[in-house]
């Protein structure tokens, strides 16, 4: 069996002497020198051979069966790691024939492979693209969970979708102990933890162990504007509130209790019927038990009637229809019933469950039947509420009084509200200093279904907020700060979404403008406004109504919206941003503020009727709108004859064709663009080179007159052609108000 010495592998130190002897003699045995299987000895032997200059490879070794190693000087010792002698011979034969061989060969200096140089290409220069912002949270509504008193930490973590350790860390930061995952939490702490996680909450209150008694129904009167809602309530409570309303329409959401002849009482909510107060109607439907849908017998179903029906259906509230103005000569209650049935309202007369009562608020007809219908509906609903325990209430309106500060009009849902309690209303908190009923009388307690006015809040709440009674001032402060923090976080998220949406719209608009002509481009201007009103609900309604006046040319931007009269700070703010101040149902301006606004050239528009306010602001928007340039036909002329003027020389010009025309409509202007029509099709369009009447150059020719005109670069006239005079006019948008009170800007 052949054995080849491969450089630095397996020859002993004694083998060196044997190799030296073999180089002089023909053969020798290894048995005289000894043999050891050591890798280190073999390496030393090979290095010794190289040191003696015996060449790269001298001999081939043969290993016999008796383990004697013999060396022969006749054959070269081949040092090859990855090939046999046969393969090397074949490779030499290929090279002699000029064939390509593998480039991966062993280099003798150092025993290393040669590495092929890689082709290094220059880096490609690409523009830097900034990464998109990743929002850590989403805008509301993200997720809403239900919380209750005594909720365990593990249950709260499961509903929030967070780990128990995360919930425990938040509880520790709040200042509460959370030793066990099964420890019970108060409902306030659970709300704080949920808001910190970033979810919305819905409080669940238990009635176990409390005293539950029947309560009066809360009835909301809804319907179209000027259908007699407030007049109907006046007839029920024997007052004349409608005479005090500005413009004869309700512009607030009022609440009061009416005692019936049967001895029962009903809490009524009066909602405005104008289209601008849709949010108020939605709030009224959310807190009510029964909705009275007032429809005028002489007017029928109108847009706000349908809107009130949709609000009641969304809140899952039963409806009682009161067809008012039945005493009028043109009243037609049957037509109203058919209209309501066609809109999907199941009336009792047609096999449904909706009661219909025909009344007259002016003549006080049918009021007793309406009372019976409401009490019957309340009895069917079996309305009950707990009397003891912490109160739950709902804010109907909120306003600022000059002497008493922020005031909230609320309706108690359950429990008893008492003076001295600490409450949290939305993101505001306070200690109840005084409770008044709707007759402005001070009371000590407020029971369920009772509308009251609460005094003692630190800030002005939003209409629609829930009132929560807490244990202490510290807990009220903590809960208020947590809600403010979440509200601010959600506001920033919404601003970021609006900004991104605006950037997309601007980019799209810029792409569209690139395809348009420069003359047809129109800029979109902003109209900054500062809104002040008497109550919080009206502020929201007026702001939403003004935002609905946005158009492709003008965008309404509400800089600030607040409750109270116009102050000097409002004038300063308006001067800083060139805004217009809009006051609704606020008192007249003091002389100092009027002079300051006049010096700063600030417009202040005060109104008490929503119709007049929207019309005034609509006209302001129309004035500031840039308008759109449109091509309009200012006049038409018919070609009667054609005259050709030969050019005598190059200096006097080429041949010219003159069209003798008669103006049949409007007037022709020399500075306008002329369009040549033949059989209704456009043949040529260009500017007027010459316009003469009775051999005199004129600027315009009126209807019925004859003239001669030359169109530049046009010589293709025929008798009977029509020449139109085109002018560009700036068309302003229009302010449109419908009978239902809805307004819009039409461009």
């Amino acid at each position: 069996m052949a054995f080849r010495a491969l450089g630095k592998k397996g020859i002993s130190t004694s083998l060196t002497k044997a190799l030296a002897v073999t180089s002089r003699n023909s053969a020798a045995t290894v048995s005289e020198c000894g043999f050891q299987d050591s890798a280190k000895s073999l390496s030393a032997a090979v290095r010794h051979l190289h040191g003696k200059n015996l060449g790269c490879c001298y001999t081939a070794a043969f290993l016999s069966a008796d383990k004697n190693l013999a060396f022969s000087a006749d054959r070269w010792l081949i040092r090859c790691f990855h090939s046999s002698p046969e393969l090397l011979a074949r490779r030499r034969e290929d090279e002699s024939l000029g064939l390509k061989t593998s480039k991966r060969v062993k280099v003798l200096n150092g025993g290393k492979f040669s590495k092929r140089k890689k082709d290094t290409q220059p880096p490609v220069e690409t523009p830097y693209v900034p990464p998109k912002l990743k929002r850590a949270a989403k805008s509301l509504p993200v997720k809403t969970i239900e919380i209750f008193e005594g909720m365990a930490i593990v249950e709260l973590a499961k509903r929030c979708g967070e780990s128990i350790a995360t919930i425990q860390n938040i509880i520790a930061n709040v200042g509460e102990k959370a030793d066990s995952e099964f420890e019970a939490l108060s409902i306030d702490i659970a709300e704080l933890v949920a808001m910190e996680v970033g979810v919305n909450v819905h409080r669940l209150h238990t009635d176990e162990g409390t005293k539950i008694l029947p309560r009066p129904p809360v009835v909301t009167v809804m319907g179209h504007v000027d259908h007699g809602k407030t007049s109907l309530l006046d007839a029920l409570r024997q007052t004349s509130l409608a005479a005090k309303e500005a413009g004869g329409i309700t512009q607030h959401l009022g609440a009061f209790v009416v005692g019936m002849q049967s001895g029962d009482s009903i809490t009524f909510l009066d909602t405005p019927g104008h289209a601008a107060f849709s949010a108020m109607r939605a709030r009224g439907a959310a807190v009510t038990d029964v909705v009275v849908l007032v429809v005028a017998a002489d007017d029928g179903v109108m847009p706000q009637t349908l809107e009130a029906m949709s609000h009641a259906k969304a809140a899952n509230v039963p409806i009682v229809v009161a067809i008012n103005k039945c005493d009028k000569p043109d009243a037609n209650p049957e037509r109203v019933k058919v209209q309501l049935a066609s809109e999907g309202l199941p009336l009792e007369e047609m096999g449904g469950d909706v009661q219909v009562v025909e009344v007259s608020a002016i003549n006080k007809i049918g009021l007793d039947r309406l009372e019976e219908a409401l009490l019957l509906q309340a009895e069917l609903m079996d309305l009950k509420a707990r009397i003891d325990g912490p109160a739950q209430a709902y804010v109907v309106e909120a306003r600022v009084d000059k002497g008493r500060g922020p005031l909230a009009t609320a309706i108690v849902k359950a429990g008893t509200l008492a003076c001295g309690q600490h409450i949290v209303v939305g993101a505001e908190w306070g200690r109840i200093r005084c409770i008044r009923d709707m007759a402005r009388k001070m009371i000590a307690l407020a029971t369920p279904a009772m509308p009251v006015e609460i005094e003692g809040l630190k800030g002005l709440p939003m209409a629609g907020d829930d009132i929560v009674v807490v244990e202490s001032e510290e807990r009220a402060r903590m809960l208020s700060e947590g809600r403010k923090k979440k509200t601010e976080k959600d506001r920033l998220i919404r601003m970021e979404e609006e900004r991104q949406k605006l950037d997309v719209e601007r980019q799209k608009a810029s792409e569209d403008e690139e395809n348009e002509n420069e003359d047809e481009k129109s800029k979109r201007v902003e109209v900054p406004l500062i809104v002040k009103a008497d109550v919080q609900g009206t502020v929201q309604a007026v702001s939403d109504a003004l935002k609905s006046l946005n158009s492709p040319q003008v965008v309404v931007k509400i800089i600030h919206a607040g409750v109270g009269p116009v102050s000097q700070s409002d004038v300063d703010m308006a001067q800083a941003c060139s805004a217009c101040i809009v006051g609704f149902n606020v008192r007249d301006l003091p002389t100092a503020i009027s002079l300051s606004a006049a010096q700063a050239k600030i417009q202040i528009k005060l109104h008490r009727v929503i119709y007049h306010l929207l019309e005034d602001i609509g006209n302001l928007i129309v004035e500031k709108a840039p308008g759109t340039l449109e091509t309009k036909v200012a006049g038409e002329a018919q070609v009667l004859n054609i005259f050709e003027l030969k050019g005598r020389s190059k200096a006097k010009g080429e041949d010219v064709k003159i069209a003798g025309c008669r103006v049949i409509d409007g007037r022709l202007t020399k500075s306008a663009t002329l369009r040549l029509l033949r059989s209704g099709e456009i043949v040529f369009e260009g500017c007027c080179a010459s316009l003469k009447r009775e051999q005199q150059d004129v600027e315009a020719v009126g209807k019925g007159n004859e003239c001669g005109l030359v169109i530049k670069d046009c010589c293709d006239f025929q008798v009977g052609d029509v020449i139109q005079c085109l002018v560009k006019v700036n068309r302003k948008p229009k302010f449109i108000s419908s009978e239902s009170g809805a307004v819009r800007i039409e461009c």
Side-chain angles (χ1 to χ4, degrees), residues 665-697:
D665 188 19
R667 58 184 298 179
L668 298 185
T669 308
K670 185 178 181 180
S671 60
T673 303
L674 300 181
R675 177 187 293 170
L676 181 63
L677 299 178
R678 184 174 300 153
S679 300
E681 296 182 359
I682 301 176
V683 177
F684 187 82
E685 187 172 323
C687 60
C688 181
S690 175
L691 181 62
K692 290 187 178 183
R693 183 170 179 268
E694 296 178 356
Q695 298 183 353
Q696 293 182 358
D697 292 330

Side-chain angles (χ1 to χ4, degrees), residues 281-489:
R281 288 189 291 276
R283 289 199 303 271
V287 75
T288 191
D289 298 317
V290 182
V291 167
V292 174
L293 185 62
V294 179
V295 187
D298 59 340
D299 203 4
V301 176
M302 299 298 287
Q304 269 64 62
T305 309
L306 301 177
E307 182 188 328
M309 291 171 54
S310 63
H311 286 321
K313 291 179 180 179
N316 196 18
V317 177
I319 298 175
V320 175
V321 177
I323 302 179
N324 195 17
K325 303 182 182 180
C326 291
D327 56 331
K328 284 194 172 184
D330 55 347
N332 191 353
E334 297 301 325
R335 180 174 63 91
V336 174
K337 294 177 184 179
V338 172
Q339 290 177 348
L340 292 174
S342 63
E343 295 295 337
L345 197 63
L347 306 181
E348 275 188 344
E349 299 178 3
M350 302 179 183
D353 56 353
V354 176
Q355 303 180 69
V356 181
V357 181
E358 298 180 9
V359 298
S360 173
I362 302 298
N363 296 329
K364 299 181 182 179
I365 301 174
L367 299 183
D368 52 347
R369 295 196 300 271
L370 180 60
E371 293 176 8
E372 292 175 2
L374 294 176
L375 294 176
L376 176 60
Q377 185 66 47
E379 185 178 353
L380 293 174
M381 297 175 67
D382 192 19
L383 300 174
K384 293 182 179 180
R386 59 180 176 84
I387 303 300
D388 51 355
Q392 298 172 246
Y394 183 91
V395 177
V396 176
E397 283 288 3
R399 63 188 179 92
V400 177
D401 188 83
K402 188 175 182 180
R404 296 186 292 163
L407 302 176
T409 302
I411 291 182
V412 181
K413 297 179 182 178
T416 301
L417 198 64
C419 290
Q421 290 180 334
H422 291 89
I423 59 174
V424 179
V425 187
E428 304 295 338
W429 72 279
R431 183 175 180 270
I432 299 178
R433 184 168 61 244
C434 177
I435 300 178
R436 299 176 185 269
D437 59 9
M438 291 298 100
R440 308 299 183 193
K441 295 180 180 179
M442 294 180 60
I443 57 176
L445 301 174
T447 54
M450 180 181 292
V452 293
E453 191 176 64
I454 301 172
E455 180 181 338
L457 297 175
K458 301 296 181 181
L460 187 68
M462 301 293 292
D465 288 341
D466 286 323
I467 298 178
V468 178
V469 179
V470 295
E471 302 172 356
S472 60
E473 180 180 342
E474 181 182 0
R475 183 65 60 83
R477 288 177 181 270
M478 188 184 303
L479 193 57
S480 175
E481 290 175 359
R483 290 184 176 182
K484 285 181 179 178
K485 181 179 177 181
K486 189 173 188 306
T487 303
E488 182 65 18
K489 182 179 179 181

Side-chain angles (χ1 to χ4, degrees), residues 103-107 109 111-117:
K103 297 296 182 181
R104 190 179 182 185
V105 296
K106 184 73 180 289
V107 181
N109 49 353
K112 297 180 180 179
F113 286 99
S114 63
K115 295 183 179 180
R116 182 181 298 174
K117 294 183 179 181

Side-chain angles (χ1 to χ4, degrees), residues 138-159:
K138 298 179 181 179
S139 60
L140 287 177
V142 181
K143 183 181 179 182
T144 302
I145 65 171
E146 294 180 344
I147 59 174
F148 50 87
E149 188 71 30
M151 192 176 191
I153 296 177
V154 61
E155 179 66 20
L156 181 61
K158 181 180 179 181
R159 297 192 180 193

Side-chain angles (χ1 to χ4, degrees), residues 70-114:
F71 294 88
S72 175
D74 299 334
R75 298 186 63 179
W76 291 88
L77 182 64
I78 301 172
R79 298 177 61 206
C80 186
F81 291 97
H82 302 290
S83 62
S84 61
E86 292 80 3
L87 185 59
L88 286 175
R90 190 183 306 165
R91 198 174 282 178
R92 292 193 191 97
E93 190 175 339
D94 293 341
E95 290 177 355
S96 63
L97 295 176
L99 300 177
K100 292 184 179 181
T101 59
S102 175
K103 297 296 182 181
R104 190 179 182 185
V105 296
K106 184 73 180 289
V107 181
L108 296 179
N109 49 353
K112 297 180 180 179
F113 286 99
S114 63

